[in-house]
Structures are given as C-alpha cells and as structure tokens.
Amino acid sequence: MANDARRILLVEDEKAIRDAVAAYLEREGYWVTGVGDGQAALEEFNKRKFDLIVLDLMLPKLSGERVCRAIRDESDVPIIMLTAKGEVEDKIIGLELGADDYLIKPFSPRELVARVKALLRRSHIDSEPQREVLDFGELVIDVSGHKILVNDEEVDLTASEFKLLTTLARYPGRVYTRMELVEKVLGYDFEGYERTIDSHVKNLRAKLGDDPKNPKWLYTVHGVGYRFEAPEKKPAEKSE
C-alpha cells in the first residue's frame, strides 16, 4: 500500500469535512481513523500508534487544545491543527500547545494532503545510515537518533522543533531569515508563516531552558530571524 499504510487520526466534528478529507487521504494510501469529538480522539490515540494526527481546534466534549495538550504529554507524534479562526493569535494557538502545523478553514483537502506528506517526510527523514551527533557541551543533538540531551537529560521535541534546532545548530553563527526557516523546517513557502517559526522558537527555548533575555544557544536577530551559537566552542578558539 502507498506510503507504507501510515496511520492518521482525523479529528473533525463536521462529518462532511471529515468524510471528504478521509477520502483524499485514503486515496493517497493512508490508513485513516476518523472521529468527531475530543474524547473519542483520546480513546483512539490510547488504543493504537498513529503516525500523524489532524486535529480540529473546536470540538465537542473535549476541546482541541485539551486533546493536543494530552497527546503532547505522551507523544511527539506530528499534529496538524485545523482552525476556523483567522486572527493571528488564534492561528498560532495550536503551535503554542505543541502542534507542528495549522490550516485555516475553509481549506482545500488537496492542500491538507500536501501538508500531511511534508510533515510525515520531515518526521521520518532522519533515519540516516551514518551517525550524526552535534555536541555543544550542555546541549547534545543526536541527529540520527532523533534525540536531544540538555545536561544529560533527554528533552522531548516535536518533529518541527527538532528540525528547526538541527537546521540552526548545523551552522553556528549563521543567521537564518524566518522565511528560510519556514522553507527548511515546514517544507513549503506560504506568505504569513513567519510567525510559526517564532512560536517554534519560543517552545524550543522553554524546553531547552534557554532564556531569551540571556540566551546560551538560540539568538534573535531583530528584523531578520535567528541564529545558533555554540558557547562551549568559544574558549578553544581563544588559545594563545
């Protein structure tokens, strides 16, 4: 079956939308489980392993926010949040909760399928044969093992957060614009998506314990974007 029959949990209370999206995904070879409320979503999530979750923000019984938070407590499975709200703050609420991407209603099922493909590609692309480890002292990024250690403690990151961190950390000191990071991390270029990078950086800083006012690793370049610094490498460069 196409796409290795990857399993997708589709959480959408409007049956017409749910059926249409499921039909498009199944046509691409995905195995889709569709549910119409937040409680059913968590029940299905606890029953079996899913490769990706499409999650509506506005749901009966349990809200999308609560479902996303509960899933993130247990798993880093990729999540695409669906929202009918258009304001900037509402559009990024899912990202603040740990979602990897969002899509605003009304949307094209074909666009959602493209997002699903891009996100699944990102979440599985790090199975490289060679070992790649970026060691910055307190921070260790095991790229091939998809693992982050801060002071020898493992930190759970979403697929998008991990891709963002590794993109920046591979080239310490290089400044990336927000749009460059959108293209590299999200896999596509859409106007207005720069704010998603800000949300991912905010989440990253919180998880890594990196104070934005006195950063160790992630630096904001105002009006441009972000750069990564490797403080553990600096003393070796100053040898006399």
Side-chain angles (χ1 to χ4, degrees):
M1 199 174 199
N3 300 308
D4 299 324
R6 290 177 184 162
R7 291 181 176 271
I8 296 176
L9 176 59
L10 172 59
V11 190
E12 167 60 61
D13 63 323
E14 295 186 46
K15 188 177 186 301
I17 296 177
R18 187 169 71 245
D19 290 347
V21 170
Y24 270 83
L25 290 169
E26 288 169 350
R27 193 178 304 160
E28 294 293 324
Y30 297 109
W31 188 304
V32 181
T33 299
V35 296
D37 64 74
Q39 183 175 319
L42 289 183
E43 290 173 357
E44 288 295 329
F45 173 76
N46 290 323
K47 281 182 190 175
R48 58 180 60 89
K49 181 182 182 299
F50 289 96
D51 296 288
L52 183 141
I53 298 174
V54 179
L55 178 63
D56 190 16
L57 192 62
M58 305 296 290
L59 292 170
K61 297 188 179 179
L62 285 176
S63 68
E65 291 101 322
R66 292 182 64 185
V67 173
C68 186
R69 192 176 293 112
I71 289 173
R72 274 292 167 260
D73 286 343
E74 302 291 333
S75 170
D76 63 354
V77 60
I79 297 175
I80 298 177
M81 188 75 83
L82 304 179
T83 174
K85 299 177 180 180
E87 290 76 14
V88 171
E89 294 305 317
D90 288 325
K91 285 191 291 186
I92 65 173
I93 188 171
L95 299 171
E96 298 282 345
L97 293 168
D100 296 276
D101 198 359
Y102 67 84
L103 199 55
I104 302 168
K105 295 180 180 178
F107 59 85
S108 162
R110 292 176 61 188
E111 182 180 358
L112 177 58
V113 169
R115 302 285 187 90
V116 167
K117 288 181 177 179
L119 193 49
L120 283 173
R121 188 164 56 246
R122 295 205 313 275
S123 64
H124 290 276
I125 203 168
D126 292 308
S127 56
E128 302 159 7
Q130 71 275 17
R131 195 74 174 172
E132 183 182 3
V133 177
L134 305 175
D135 189 344
F136 302 106
E138 294 178 43
L139 173 65
V140 177
I141 305 171
D142 183 349
V143 181
S144 49
H146 208 276
K147 184 185 296 185
I148 303 292
L149 298 175
V150 176
N151 294 320
D152 296 324
E153 294 289 330
E154 188 168 353
V155 177
D156 291 327
L157 301 183
T158 67
S160 293
E161 291 163 359
F162 187 88
K163 180 66 174 177
L164 174 60
L165 181 59
T166 54
T167 296
L168 290 166
R170 278 190 172 115
Y171 299 97
R174 173 178 171 177
V175 178
Y176 284 89
T177 68
R178 288 175 174 82
M179 285 312 301
E180 283 178 320
L181 291 171
V182 167
E183 293 170 6
K184 290 180 178 295
V185 175
L186 299 181
Y188 43 75
D189 180 359
F190 285 106
E191 185 178 356
Y193 269 66
E194 296 97 327
R195 285 296 300 274
T196 67
I197 295 300
D198 293 339
S199 294
H200 288 321
V201 169
K202 179 180 178 181
N203 290 342
L204 259 179
R205 283 170 167 161
K207 292 180 179 182
L208 299 178
D210 201 15
D211 183 358
K213 295 181 180 178
N214 186 27
K216 296 179 183 177
W217 304 297
L218 298 174
Y219 287 75
T220 300
V221 181
H222 295 288
V224 182
Y226 298 96
R227 77 177 191 274
F228 180 92
E229 291 291 349
E232 294 297 322
K233 302 296 182 183
K234 292 179 180 177
E237 296 172 356
K238 294 182 179 180
S239 59
E240 296 183 357

